[in-house]
Amino acid sequence: MKFQKLLAACLVLLFAVTGASAQRVYETSKYGIRPNTGRNVSSAVNRLLERIRRECREGEEVVLRFENGRYDFHEKGAAERIYYISNHDQVNPKKVGLDLSHLDNFTLDGGGADFIFHGRMLPVAVTHAENCTLKNFSVDFAVPHITQVTVVENDPQRGITFEPAPWVNYRILEDGRFESYGEGWTLHPEWGIAFERESRHLVYNSSDVYCATRKVEEVAPRRLHAPEWRDERMKPGTVIALREWERPAPGIFLSHNLNTSISGVRVHYAEGMGLLAQLCENITLDKFGVCLRDIDDPRYFTTQADATHFSSCKGKIISTNGLYEGMMDDAINVHGTYLKVVKRLDERTLVGRYMHDQSWGFEWGRTGDSVQFVRSNTMELMGEKNRIADIRPYDTEICEGAREFVITFERELDPEISELKTCGIENLTWTPEVYFAHNTIRNNRARGSLFSTPCRTVVEHNLFDHTSGTAILLCGDCNGWFETGACREVVIRHNRFVNALTCLFQFTNAVISIYPEIPNLEEQRLYFHGGSEGAILIEDNEFETFDAPILYAKSVDGLIFRRNIIRENSDYKPFHPIRSRFKLERVTRVEIDQ
């Protein structure tokens, strides 16, 4: 009997050991993919990923491990994919450096590697995958599409003289236009964001700066004079990120995934968002950064748009211990997308259309999803909630690339819901909870964070340092970007806000701005945000500010502002058009107690 027990214990131990060793590990160095060679690894990485797909069995855990060092990815040899990506330019096909599609239980361990991309690429794509982990690597481009220059001289009569950063490739065209270029791309930037050299803050009261880079002359090696560029705010030493408005691809793209974890990953540059996730369930970011390399990084910018962006996701979005700086838009934006009703086919069937040119072509909803309807003019709900009985593309054969969908609902629709009344359809199933905590957001354009989800949202223990515009925005818009929707439960606590509102951008009415886009507020009878006592709770925060507005709220039912500390400073001259601490428009059940 003792022998049998001993044998059984040994078998249990053996099974435990073999089970633990069942993890399959692929070391890139064993497949000729080595760092610091300067060679293009796109083809070799693509081949290795295809091999992994062939060899790995269902349910098996797989690790792809890189050695520390630099790896260069070029368009040649990269995977070519058609992706319609929310809030980006719908240009296809895309060249993908690391195509991690259809890989379940997969871990990409960069081992501290720097992945450097060339041309116009989508660096990392994770699609149709479950339980995927990304960790320990950085994403960057050898030549960013944002062109950094430094003002050398500024003569109010003669214009501005500037120097491009050492890594910038440029030329002066025959007509005198300044052109920057890289592998397979050229740009003629005439707008920019201006940074103070020492602090890296955006230049006070500057916002988007027009930079007349025409009739340019080279007056010395890598020193250019722009006679039509005149702006007294651009003092010598000012660093300017010249940019255009293209967003071809994010740094990391997530789509149709379940349970994605990203840890210790940094995006130093991308021509779109740092990370864009759509139609994913449960995403965890820890120590994720859209950031400069270090305090001595000669660059002042990171991404062309938002650091992180979550469109039509569900489950939980968790972002903790992150660093978001130098991006050209917000640190985080969470929303869904309204379809505009363009045709009523019968009492249960509508045609809905994606309206914004950068948000279409991807799946919108599924059978069984819960939906509601909103009147665009007043942003009030119409009729009752309903469920999708059937949905299919209306203007294409397949969902991919569709702008319009024909949707049949389980129950009859309110007669007002038709193309005769401008209204939108909101998918309530694809809405996530959000936990955004212990992050640093600093020195970026536009706003700090945007939240538009009816599920519980907690924003706590963050530092919002010189976000230039509003630090936290609760929005909702069925008229322009068509980004849903109303916030029902928001907690904002234990955050520190330092000198927001140094520049004016859209929706930047206060440090915390609750600003749904409502064209006809006078006729609104219901409220957009909230819906219960204390639905939006702002407590125990610290505000350090040079200007007046702290809280702006419009169309809110249930707002509490309490136990917050406001400290005034004289770092900048007050200039905001709102001269009161609190401005409320159509707000009920409100409590303000400093």
Side-chain angles (χ1 to χ4, degrees):
M1 183 64 70
K2 289 183 179 180
F3 174 77
Q4 290 176 334
K5 289 182 178 180
L6 179 61
L7 178 61
C10 290
L11 288 173
V12 170
L13 179 61
L14 177 63
F15 288 140
V17 171
T18 56
S21 63
Q23 185 183 71
R24 189 189 291 257
V25 179
Y26 290 82
E27 303 280 356
T28 56
S29 59
K30 294 180 180 179
Y31 299 87
I33 304 169
R34 295 184 174 86
N36 307 319
T37 65
R39 294 196 298 268
N40 177 17
V41 301
S42 291
S43 182
V45 169
N46 194 27
R47 287 196 302 269
L48 178 53
L49 288 168
E50 288 301 324
R51 177 173 183 163
I52 291 171
R53 290 187 183 90
R54 290 194 307 270
E55 294 181 349
C56 294
R57 300 183 297 273
E58 184 177 352
E60 189 174 28
E61 292 186 9
V62 180
V63 177
L64 176 61
R65 184 175 293 142
F66 287 77
E67 293 180 353
N68 189 16
R70 171 173 170 151
Y71 298 83
D72 287 86
F73 293 78
H74 294 255
E75 292 184 24
K76 184 178 180 180
E80 190 171 278
R81 299 287 182 264
I82 293 176
Y83 288 136
Y84 291 88
I85 302 177
S86 181
N87 294 80
H88 282 74
D89 301 327
Q90 307 303 1
V91 290
N92 277 298
K94 294 175 171 62
K95 297 288 188 176
V96 184
L98 288 148
D99 172 29
L100 309 181
S101 59
H102 301 281
L103 287 168
D104 295 342
N105 307 308
F106 178 85
T107 296
L108 170 59
D109 185 351
D114 282 326
F115 297 146
I116 306 298
F117 297 85
H118 299 256
R120 274 186 158 153
M121 298 183 69
L122 168 51
V124 182
V126 183
T127 67
H128 302 277
E130 294 186 10
N131 306 319
C132 188
T133 298
L134 308 178
K135 63 182 184 179
N136 305 328
F137 64 87
S138 66
V139 169
D140 203 351
F141 278 72
V143 181
H145 313 85
I146 292 176
T147 301
Q148 184 171 302
V149 303
T150 301
V151 175
V152 178
E153 298 176 6
N154 188 343
D155 187 318
Q157 307 304 319
R158 297 186 59 253
I160 287 176
T161 301
F162 64 94
E163 291 181 347
W167 62 84
V168 172
N169 301 317
Y170 73 90
R171 53 193 165 223
I172 309 302
L173 302 182
E174 290 184 3
D175 60 4
R177 284 183 300 158
F178 174 82
E179 178 180 81
S180 56
Y181 64 91
E183 190 174 309
W185 60 268
T186 60
L187 292 175
H188 307 103
E190 290 193 337
W191 289 90
I193 291 294
F195 296 89
E196 299 173 357
R197 182 198 288 271
E198 298 300 325
S199 69
R200 297 182 185 256
H201 303 328
L202 269 65
V203 170
Y204 161 77
N205 201 11
S206 58
S207 303
D208 291 310
V209 176
Y210 177 64
C211 309
T213 51
R214 300 185 302 270
K215 299 182 181 178
V216 171
E217 296 180 301
E218 190 154 26
V219 295
R222 296 190 70 85
R223 180 169 288 197
L224 308 172
H225 178 64
E228 295 185 356
W229 183 5
R230 300 178 184 180
D231 190 332
E232 294 182 358
R233 299 169 299 177
M234 304 298 105
K235 308 297 182 186
T238 301
V239 176
I240 301 173
L242 294 173
R243 60 193 290 258
E244 290 191 346
W245 307 100
E246 284 83 357
R247 298 178 180 181
I252 298 174
F253 174 50
L254 309 177
S255 184
H256 293 80
N257 302 323
L258 173 64
N259 301 335
T260 305
S261 175
I262 302 179
S263 175
V265 173
R266 299 168 309 284
V267 176
H268 300 307
Y269 174 74
E271 201 179 0
M273 313 290 184
L275 177 146
L276 186 288
Q278 64 189 33
L279 296 152
C280 292
E281 182 175 357
N282 299 335
I283 299 171
T284 299
L285 308 180
D286 186 49
K287 297 183 177 65
F288 181 72
V290 173
C291 58
L292 306 175
R293 289 185 172 271
D294 51 47
I295 59 173
D296 296 320
D297 193 334
R299 289 191 202 160
Y300 281 63
F301 60 87
T302 53
T303 56
Q304 182 73 270
D306 297 347
T308 66
H309 198 109
F310 303 88
S311 175
S312 299
C313 293
K314 66 179 180 179
K316 292 186 178 180
I317 294 172
I318 299 172
S319 175
T320 56
N321 305 305
L323 173 58
Y324 305 108
E325 63 181 347
M327 56 279 182
M328 296 295 120
D329 271 307
D330 324 305
I332 181 172
N333 188 346
V334 181
H335 66 87
T337 304
Y338 289 111
L339 294 183
K340 182 180 179 180
V341 176
V342 295
K343 188 178 294 186
R344 181 174 174 131
L345 300 180
D346 59 43
E347 68 275 4
R348 293 197 301 120
T349 308
L350 302 172
V351 176
R353 177 180 174 85
Y354 279 124
M355 295 304 296
H356 198 277
D357 285 341
Q358 288 182 323
S359 290
W360 58 275
F362 48 91
E363 185 181 15
W364 184 83
R366 299 174 183 173
T367 299
D369 285 355
S370 175
V371 301
Q372 65 184 11
F373 306 90
V374 64
R375 182 178 290 106
S376 300
N377 200 32
T378 60
M379 296 301 286
E380 294 172 293
L381 295 180
M382 305 174 67
E384 298 179 349
K385 292 179 182 178
N386 213 321
R387 289 191 179 274
I388 297 175
D390 182 67
I391 180 170
R392 61 188 185 274
Y394 187 68
D395 59 338
T396 62
E397 293 296 322
I398 59 175
C399 177
E400 189 175 66
R403 278 184 179 266
E404 296 181 348
F405 298 88
V406 56
I407 308 171
T408 300
F409 299 93
E410 291 182 354
R411 300 189 308 278
E412 289 189 11
L413 300 164
D414 187 293
E416 278 199 321
I417 300 173
S418 74
E419 69 273 21
L420 302 178
K421 300 280 187 178
T422 305
C423 54
I425 317 170
E426 177 180 3
N427 190 322
L428 295 173
T429 296
W430 290 92
T431 54
E433 294 183 37
V434 181
Y435 184 66
F436 188 72
H438 300 282
N439 301 293
T440 296
I441 305 94
R442 66 190 183 196
N443 302 335
N444 65 292
R445 174 187 177 274
R447 294 155 297 267
S449 56
L450 281 70
F451 302 101
S452 300
T453 174
C455 300
R456 180 174 171 83
T457 298
V458 178
V459 184
E460 64 181 5
H461 299 290
N462 301 289
L463 170 61
F464 295 89
D465 183 6
H466 288 78
T467 54
S468 77
T470 287
I472 298 176
L473 171 63
L474 309 183
C475 39
D477 172 19
C478 194
N479 297 277
W481 277 96
F482 284 80
E483 293 181 357
T484 64
C487 296
R488 303 300 181 198
E489 184 181 3
V490 180
V491 178
I492 301 171
R493 64 191 174 202
H494 302 297
N495 300 286
R496 183 181 173 211
F497 303 92
V498 180
N499 285 345
L501 302 175
T502 58
C503 301
L504 293 181
F505 294 94
Q506 190 180 26
F507 310 124
T508 55
N509 278 18
V511 177
I512 297 176
S513 188
I514 306 171
Y515 196 145
E517 186 69 30
I518 304 172
N520 192 346
L521 187 63
E522 293 76 14
E523 292 188 9
Q524 188 190 65
R525 296 296 175 263
L526 305 175
Y527 296 89
F528 185 71
H529 286 296
S532 63
E533 193 79 36
I536 299 173
L537 174 62
I538 305 168
E539 66 179 5
D540 300 316
N541 300 283
E542 296 183 17
F543 297 85
E544 299 175 30
T545 181
F546 65 95
D547 217 329
I550 296 295
L551 173 64
Y552 171 80
K554 175 168 63 175
S555 189
V556 179
D557 175 14
L559 173 62
I560 296 175
F561 184 96
R562 68 188 178 196
R563 298 197 307 270
N564 297 287
I565 298 172
I566 301 174
R567 299 188 181 94
E568 296 183 9
N569 63 49
S570 56
D571 294 349
Y572 302 95
K573 182 180 178 180
F575 77 104
H576 200 284
I578 295 178
R579 300 312 312 150
S580 58
R581 288 282 188 231
F582 308 98
K583 183 172 182 179
L584 311 178
E585 298 184 75
R586 287 215 76 242
V587 175
T588 188
R589 288 196 281 185
V590 58
E591 173 191 331
I592 295 180
D593 183 6
Q594 293 181 236

